[in-house]
Coordinates of all heavy atoms in Angstrom, one line a residue:
V11 N 97.2 -102.7 -7.7 CA 96.4 -103.3 -8.9 C 94.9 -103.3 -8.4 O 94.6 -103.7 -7.3 CB 96.9 -104.7 -9.2 CG1 96.0 -105.3 -10.3 CG2 98.4 -104.7 -9.6
G12 N 94.1 -102.8 -9.3 CA 92.6 -102.8 -9.1 C 92.1 -104.1 -9.8 O 92.4 -104.4 -10.9
I13 N 91.3 -104.8 -9.0 CA 90.7 -106.1 -9.5 C 89.2 -106.1 -9.3 O 88.8 -106.0 -8.1 CB 91.4 -107.3 -8.8 CG1 92.9 -107.3 -9.0 CG2 90.7 -108.6 -9.3 CD1 93.6 -108.4 -8.2
T14 N 88.5 -106.2 -10.3 CA 87.0 -106.3 -10.2 C 86.7 -107.8 -10.3 O 87.0 -108.5 -11.2 CB 86.3 -105.6 -11.3 OG1 86.7 -104.2 -11.2 CG2 84.8 -105.7 -11.2
D15 N 86.1 -108.3 -9.2 CA 85.8 -109.8 -9.1 C 84.6 -110.1 -10.0 O 84.0 -109.3 -10.6 CB 85.7 -110.2 -7.7 CG 84.5 -109.7 -7.0 OD1 83.5 -109.3 -7.6 OD2 84.6 -109.6 -5.7
R16 N 84.2 -111.4 -10.0 CA 83.1 -111.9 -10.8 C 81.8 -111.4 -10.3 O 80.8 -111.5 -11.0 CB 83.2 -113.4 -11.0 CG 84.4 -113.8 -11.8 CD 84.5 -115.3 -11.9 NE 85.6 -115.8 -12.6 CZ 86.4 -116.8 -12.3 NH1 86.2 -117.5 -11.1 NH2 87.5 -117.1 -13.0
D17 N 81.7 -110.9 -9.1 CA 80.5 -110.4 -8.6 C 80.4 -108.8 -8.8 O 79.4 -108.2 -8.4 CB 80.3 -110.6 -7.1 CG 80.2 -112.1 -6.8 OD1 79.6 -112.8 -7.6 OD2 80.8 -112.5 -5.8
G18 N 81.4 -108.3 -9.5 CA 81.4 -106.9 -9.8 C 82.0 -106.0 -8.7 O 81.9 -104.8 -8.8
N19 N 82.6 -106.6 -7.7 CA 83.1 -105.9 -6.5 C 84.6 -105.5 -6.9 O 85.3 -106.3 -7.4 CB 83.1 -106.7 -5.2 CG 81.7 -107.0 -4.9 OD1 80.8 -106.1 -4.9 ND2 81.4 -108.2 -4.5
H20 N 84.9 -104.2 -6.6 CA 86.3 -103.8 -6.9 C 87.2 -103.8 -5.7 O 86.8 -103.5 -4.6 CB 86.2 -102.3 -7.4 CG 87.6 -101.8 -7.9 ND1 88.4 -101.0 -7.1 CD2 88.2 -101.9 -9.0 CE1 89.5 -100.7 -7.8 NE2 89.4 -101.2 -9.0
H21 N 88.4 -104.3 -5.9 CA 89.4 -104.4 -4.8 C 90.7 -103.8 -5.3 O 91.2 -104.1 -6.4 CB 89.7 -105.9 -4.5 CG 88.5 -106.7 -4.3 ND1 87.9 -107.0 -3.1 CD2 87.7 -107.3 -5.2 CE1 86.9 -107.8 -3.3 NE2 86.7 -108.0 -4.5
L22 N 91.2 -102.9 -4.4 CA 92.5 -102.3 -4.7 C 93.5 -103.0 -3.9 O 93.5 -102.9 -2.6 CB 92.5 -100.8 -4.5 CG 93.7 -100.0 -4.9 CD1 93.9 -100.1 -6.4 CD2 93.6 -98.6 -4.5
V23 N 94.4 -103.8 -4.5 CA 95.3 -104.6 -3.7 C 96.8 -104.2 -3.9 O 97.2 -103.7 -4.9 CB 95.1 -106.1 -4.0 CG1 93.7 -106.5 -3.8 CG2 95.6 -106.5 -5.4
V37 N 95.3 -112.9 -7.7 CA 93.9 -113.0 -7.5 C 93.7 -114.2 -6.4 O 92.9 -114.0 -5.5 CB 93.1 -113.4 -8.7 CG1 91.7 -113.7 -8.4 CG2 93.2 -112.2 -9.7
Y40 N 94.7 -113.1 -2.7 CA 93.7 -112.3 -2.0 C 92.3 -113.0 -2.0 O 91.3 -112.4 -1.6 CB 93.6 -110.9 -2.7 CG 94.7 -110.0 -2.3 CD1 95.8 -109.9 -3.2 CD2 94.7 -109.3 -1.1 CE1 96.9 -109.1 -2.8 CE2 95.8 -108.5 -0.8 CZ 96.9 -108.4 -1.6 OH 98.0 -107.6 -1.3
E41 N 92.3 -114.3 -2.5 CA 91.0 -115.0 -2.6 C 89.9 -114.3 -3.2 O 88.8 -114.2 -2.6 CB 90.7 -115.5 -1.1 CG 91.8 -116.4 -0.6 CD 91.5 -116.9 0.8 OE1 90.5 -116.5 1.5 OE2 92.4 -117.7 1.3
L42 N 90.1 -113.7 -4.3 CA 89.1 -112.9 -5.0 C 88.3 -113.8 -6.0 O 87.3 -113.3 -6.6 CB 89.7 -111.8 -5.8 CG 90.5 -110.8 -4.8 CD1 91.1 -109.6 -5.6 CD2 89.6 -110.3 -3.7
A43 N 88.6 -115.0 -6.1 CA 87.7 -116.0 -6.8 C 87.8 -117.3 -6.1 O 88.9 -117.6 -5.5 CB 88.3 -116.2 -8.2
P44 N 86.7 -118.0 -6.0 CA 86.7 -119.2 -5.2 C 87.7 -120.2 -5.7 O 88.0 -120.4 -6.9 CB 85.2 -119.8 -5.5 CG 84.5 -118.6 -5.9 CD 85.4 -117.7 -6.6
C62 N 91.2 -112.6 -17.9 CA 90.7 -111.3 -17.3 C 90.7 -110.2 -18.4 O 91.3 -110.4 -19.5 CB 91.6 -110.8 -16.1 SG 93.3 -110.7 -16.5
Y63 N 90.0 -109.1 -18.2 CA 90.0 -108.0 -19.1 C 90.8 -106.9 -18.6 O 90.7 -106.6 -17.4 CB 88.5 -107.6 -19.3 CG 87.5 -108.6 -19.7 CD1 86.5 -109.0 -18.8 CD2 87.7 -109.4 -20.9 CE1 85.6 -110.0 -19.2 CE2 86.9 -110.4 -21.2 CZ 85.8 -110.7 -20.3 OH 85.0 -111.8 -20.7
E65 N 91.5 -103.3 -18.2 CA 90.7 -102.1 -18.3 C 91.4 -100.8 -18.2 O 90.8 -99.7 -18.3 CB 89.6 -102.2 -17.2 CG 88.8 -103.5 -17.3 CD 87.4 -103.4 -17.0 OE1 87.0 -103.0 -15.9 OE2 86.6 -103.7 -17.9
L106 N 97.4 -100.7 -12.6 CA 96.7 -101.6 -13.6 C 95.3 -101.9 -13.1 O 95.0 -102.0 -11.8 CB 97.4 -102.9 -13.7 CG 96.9 -103.9 -14.7 CD1 97.2 -103.5 -16.1 CD2 97.5 -105.3 -14.5
E107 N 94.3 -102.0 -14.0 CA 92.9 -102.3 -13.6 C 92.6 -103.5 -14.5 O 92.6 -103.5 -15.7 CB 92.0 -101.2 -14.0 CG 92.0 -100.0 -13.0 CD 91.4 -100.3 -11.7 OE1 90.5 -101.2 -11.6 OE2 91.8 -99.7 -10.7
I108 N 92.1 -104.6 -13.8 CA 91.6 -105.7 -14.5 C 90.3 -106.2 -13.9 O 89.9 -105.8 -12.8 CB 92.6 -106.9 -14.4 CG1 92.7 -107.5 -12.9 CG2 94.0 -106.6 -14.9 CD1 93.4 -108.8 -12.8
K109 N 89.6 -106.9 -14.8 CA 88.3 -107.4 -14.4 C 88.3 -108.9 -14.7 O 88.7 -109.3 -15.8 CB 87.2 -106.7 -15.2 CG 85.8 -107.1 -14.9 CD 84.8 -106.3 -15.7 CE 83.5 -106.8 -15.5 NZ 82.5 -106.3 -16.5
L110 N 87.9 -109.8 -13.8 CA 87.9 -111.2 -14.0 C 86.8 -111.6 -15.0 O 85.7 -111.1 -14.9 CB 87.7 -112.0 -12.7 CG 88.7 -111.7 -11.6 CD1 88.5 -112.6 -10.4 CD2 90.1 -111.8 -12.1
A111 N 87.1 -112.4 -16.0 CA 86.1 -112.9 -16.9 C 85.2 -113.8 -16.2 O 85.6 -114.4 -15.2 CB 86.8 -113.6 -18.1
P112 N 84.0 -113.9 -16.7 CA 83.0 -114.9 -16.0 C 83.6 -116.3 -16.1 O 84.4 -116.6 -17.0 CB 81.7 -114.8 -16.9 CG 81.9 -113.7 -17.8 CD 83.4 -113.3 -17.8

Side-chain angles (χ1 to χ4, degrees):
V11 176
I13 301 171
T14 302
D15 66 25
R16 291 178 179 135
D17 296 323
N19 299 314
H20 185 261
H21 311 263
L22 189 61
V23 304
V37 172
Y40 285 95
E41 299 180 355
L42 300 181
C62 56
Y63 307 118
E65 307 219 297
L106 183 73
E107 283 289 335
I108 67 171
K109 183 176 173 199
L110 303 186

